[in-house]
Amino acid sequence: MAVQARRDEERGVVVVGAGIVGASIAYHLAGRGVRVTVVDGAAPGSGASSHSFAWINAGAKGPSYYHDFNRRSMEMWDRFALGLGVDVGLRWGGKVSWEATTERARLLEEWVQRAQRWGYPTRLVGPRELADLEPSLSTGPVVAAELSPIDGQVEPQRVVDACMLRLRERGASILPGARVSALSSVRGEKGVRRVESLVTPLGEVPCDVVVLAAGTGTTDLASTAGVDVPQQVSPGVVVRTSPVPRLMHKLQVVYAPPLDSAQDEVHFRQTSDGSVQIGEGTQESLRRDDSKCHADDLLARAVCYLPGLSGAMADPVPVGYRPMPLDGYPVLGFAPSVPNLYVAVTHSGVTLAPVIGELAAMEIVDGARVEILDHYRPERFA
Ligand SMILES: Cc1cc2nc3c(=O)[nH]c(=O)nc-3n(C[C@H](O)[C@H](O)[C@H](O)COP(=O)(O)OP(=O)(O)OC[C@H]3O[C@@H](n4cnc5c(N)ncnc54)[C@H](O)[C@@H]3O)c2cc1C
């Protein structure tokens, strides 16, 4: 579905969803000269993107082709941020994790070996090197520690805002508060459908191509055109603290061990405004407790490892729902039964925003079929 040749009479590409994934796709499309409309049921960035821990990494992401996909995107982040032309909070400096029990240390060592087999430059470090890396950390007992030196962090809301700014400069239409209730499609030969327009409270929005980057809302919208994009429900909680003076000078992300066997590990990062974001468990852990009491508990646990945080106040943040395809892997590409409908839904969308934006634009504008996306096609659920 190459749109380039028809630019004069085109209705253009409509991107549904202005989270970090839709924003990146729209930005890359506009950069290719495509007429773009972005519609979002709420404010740009207010979905999963603003609830994210926003750690840029390719660590525990197998198999190796999925690791490579994340790694490619990591390497594209500097160029993406540079093109946006404002400070989006992109910071590099690495991530450390460590374990205080022999059993968990063994799992960490196995994980490092697996990541190294994929060529990820993570490595085990001793307690002294760990202490030197970030003197503000108070680690407690360390049985094994790991450093992933190429990991980073970014501020998703700033990325979305910057994309919207660049899009407006390029003449794109941005329609916040326009929840799409259905895709209006017509059936052609051999049962192949084509989306003609999107139904919104502002009226019907016509399209040549529609990109569904509506996060958790993608499943319902795709179903209105007969396309199955099944997802899991994946709630997560990341709390924020009031700003504090800079505590983390080199490292960007810390994964600290559980304080006792009844708890999960706690992870934190300090953003460029000085506030610290704190979550628990893994990147996929399901969490629904967004109470002030739980926020205070997370802060207390983080203070054990980062004592300089002790004067901060914890701000509870409502539960965020990760877009999470049923098998955990991205869903990217045109739907075979609706060839002008492009699906883009993924977990790890903060890490993956640059690669998805650039490659989706290539498929939409040039009609290319990018082979490294073949692992993630929507038809696997057909
Ligand atoms: C707690 C948590 C921690 C995370 N940690 C990380 C991490 O450390 N690293 C990482 O890479 N990723 C992380 N993620 C995942 C990452 O945040 C998401 O993959 C990413 O934000 C998804 O972006 P998106 O644009 O696809 O979706 P969203 O940001 O959810 O955007 C979708 C947009 O679509 C709009 N929309 C939905 N339905 C409709 C409709 N019918 N009509 C119009 N608009 C609609 C919504 O309003 C929303 O603005 C985390 C996520 C969570 C929740």
Side-chain angles (χ1 to χ4, degrees):
M1 178 54 59
V3 295
Q4 196 175 33
R6 297 178 295 137
R7 196 165 296 147
D8 287 345
E9 73 271 27
E10 76 186 14
R11 296 186 280 179
V13 179
V14 180
V15 178
V16 185
I20 197 165
V21 171
S24 173
I25 295 172
Y27 164 81
H28 282 90
L29 286 169
R32 295 291 311 275
V34 173
R35 183 178 302 165
V36 178
T37 303
V38 180
V39 290
D40 197 293
S46 61
S49 299
S50 59
H51 294 79
S52 184
F53 187 59
W55 163 33
I56 299 174
N57 76 99
K61 295 180 180 175
S64 59
Y65 63 77
Y66 183 54
H67 169 83
D68 291 345
F69 191 52
N70 281 268
R71 183 77 186 272
R72 179 186 287 247
S73 200
M74 291 175 74
E75 285 161 9
M76 293 166 74
W77 252 109
D78 279 326
R79 179 161 56 88
F80 180 38
L82 194 67
L84 292 174
V86 292
D87 179 7
V88 292
L90 180 65
R91 303 284 184 268
W92 302 110
K95 161 249 182 187
V96 291
S97 59
W98 70 94
E99 295 296 354
T101 65
T102 314
E103 197 187 343
R104 289 183 64 101
R106 188 177 50 76
L107 295 175
L108 180 68
E109 285 163 3
E110 281 173 14
W111 177 79
V112 169
Q113 285 165 10
R114 194 177 66 222
Q116 289 186 336
R117 282 199 297 276
W118 293 331
Y120 204 47
T122 183
R123 62 184 173 84
L124 294 170
V125 292
R128 175 161 301 175
E129 186 176 356
L130 179 61
D132 287 347
L133 276 168
E134 202 59 81
S136 54
L137 284 177
S138 171
T139 60
V142 178
V143 180
E146 164 266 339
L147 167 68
S148 289
I150 66 169
D151 296 13
Q153 62 160 316
V154 74
E155 292 308 306
Q157 186 66 57
R158 290 195 193 187
V159 176
V160 170
D161 291 345
C163 287
M164 296 303 124
L165 188 68
R166 298 292 159 243
L167 280 159
R168 280 194 192 90
E169 285 171 359
R170 290 172 181 162
S173 303
I174 298 168
L175 307 176
R179 190 180 169 280
V180 179
S181 55
L183 306 177
S184 180
S185 59
V186 291
R187 196 183 287 275
E189 282 175 24
K190 298 180 184 163
V192 172
R193 285 177 177 275
R194 179 182 166 77
V195 180
E196 289 287 301
S197 62
L198 293 79
V199 182
T200 82
L202 307 177
E204 297 227 350
V205 180
C207 62
D208 287 316
V209 172
V210 61
V211 177
L212 281 190
T216 55
T218 300
T219 303
D220 284 350
L221 273 181
S223 73
T224 67
V227 175
D228 197 15
V229 185
Q231 294 192 58
Q232 314 167 35
V233 178
S234 184
V237 172
V238 176
V239 305
R240 298 198 181 113
T241 70
S242 52
V244 292
R246 184 131 299 277
L247 297 172
M248 309 233 310
H249 295 279
K250 176 163 184 284
L251 295 170
Q252 299 303 322
V253 172
V254 171
Y255 265 70
L259 289 166
D260 63 52
S261 58
Q263 289 180 343
D264 268 328
E265 63 266 54
V266 65
H267 46 265
F268 47 85
R269 69 180 177 107
Q270 187 167 28
T271 61
S272 39
D273 72 354
S275 97
V276 174
Q277 299 211 348
I278 312 167
E280 65 177 330
T282 69
Q283 284 302 294
E284 284 81 34
S285 293
L286 307 184
R287 293 286 180 278
R288 294 178 193 273
D289 188 349
D290 53 10
S291 64
K292 170 77 174 138
C293 179
H294 183 58
D296 288 340
D297 176 52
L298 280 177
L299 172 58
R301 285 154 62 188
V303 167
C304 294
Y305 296 112
L306 195 60
L309 199 50
S310 58
M313 302 289 289
D315 232 353
V317 175
V319 177
Y321 288 88
R322 303 176 185 95
M324 185 65 81
L326 198 56
D327 58 7
Y329 294 102
V331 186
L332 301 169
F334 285 110
S337 58
V338 191
N340 71 334
L341 167 59
Y342 196 95
V343 180
V345 57
T346 189
H347 180 44
S348 288
V350 174
T351 301
L352 292 172
V355 71
I356 290 176
E358 187 167 283
L359 299 186
M362 201 184 286
E363 294 202 314
I364 294 165
V365 178
D366 301 319
R369 180 153 179 137
V370 179
E371 285 178 12
I372 59 167
L373 299 184
D374 282 347
H375 299 288
Y376 313 115
R377 298 303 184 188
E379 49 263 41
R380 71 183 187 274
F381 297 114

